[in-house]
Amino acid sequence: PGESFGEAVMFLEIPHVVSAQALADSMLLFLPKGVVFAQIESDPQFARRMLGGLSRRLHQLVADVESYSLRSGTERLIGFMLADCGAGESVDGGNVLELQLPVAKGVIASRLNLTQEHFSRILHDLTALGLIEVHGRRIRVLDVERLRSHAK
């Protein structure tokens, strides 16, 4: 909610070369370029917020490329589970974590630059090592510290 997309190409004055797909029921608001440009000219804080959003997105893309280049698929998936799903529920004194994957596994695999087959293989391997249990989109991390150490 509240996020935007496509504004970078608006500044380049080229046809849209990006697309997006909603992963849940969504309401989209289209803002014509003229409206956005007028707001930028009249409100410097709006312009700074737009620059901040573009900068955050660029920073995330650079971090993603670095991760794809320097980290294994297993390390990327473990990082995703421990960071991006970190709002999971701690049980058993905090070293066991119950996670709910926010979207379908195929979407997460794509986000982590993994094939669905490789993603499934990593989940299977982590399960065989006794680090996690998988029940659909629900993952139980059996030992957070061991899982974190496995990613190093």
Side-chain angles (χ1 to χ4, degrees):
E3 294 293 323
S4 62
F5 63 94
E7 62 269 37
V9 293
M10 175 181 63
F11 292 109
L12 296 174
E13 307 259 352
I14 61 174
H16 288 1
V17 293
V18 296
S19 64
Q21 181 177 2
L23 299 176
D25 286 343
S26 302
M27 181 186 333
L28 297 178
L29 176 64
F30 171 76
L31 297 175
K33 175 174 62 175
V35 171
V36 175
F37 284 5
Q39 187 65 24
I40 287 171
E41 289 180 22
S42 68
D43 184 355
Q45 222 169 10
F46 176 79
R48 282 193 295 274
R49 284 193 307 271
M50 283 205 70
L51 285 170
L54 289 168
S55 297
R56 275 189 300 282
R57 198 164 298 137
L58 176 62
H59 187 294
Q60 183 60 53
L61 288 171
V62 169
D64 288 348
V65 169
E66 180 180 299
S67 177
Y68 304 152
S69 302
L70 302 175
R71 297 175 70 203
S72 71
T74 301
E75 291 169 330
R76 294 194 305 270
L77 179 52
I78 290 171
F80 175 83
M81 287 190 295
L82 295 179
D84 296 349
C85 295
E89 178 184 331
S90 290
V91 292
D92 296 340
N95 203 33
V96 174
L97 191 61
E98 299 270 345
L99 305 173
Q100 178 72 29
L101 297 178
V103 292
K105 292 174 185 173
V107 173
I108 295 169
S110 176
R111 166 72 179 80
L112 297 175
N113 199 32
L114 301 169
T115 64
Q116 289 187 35
E117 294 79 12
H118 190 192
F119 182 89
S120 294
R121 200 172 318 117
I122 294 168
L123 288 177
H124 180 269
D125 292 346
L126 295 174
T127 299
L129 291 169
L131 296 170
I132 65 171
E133 293 175 351
V134 180
H135 306 283
R137 284 176 44 181
R138 211 141 165 81
I139 296 179
R140 182 177 176 99
V141 177
L142 301 174
D143 189 329
V144 173
E145 290 310 313
R146 274 187 61 219
L147 184 65
R148 188 173 282 124
S149 294
H150 188 74
K152 293 179 181 177

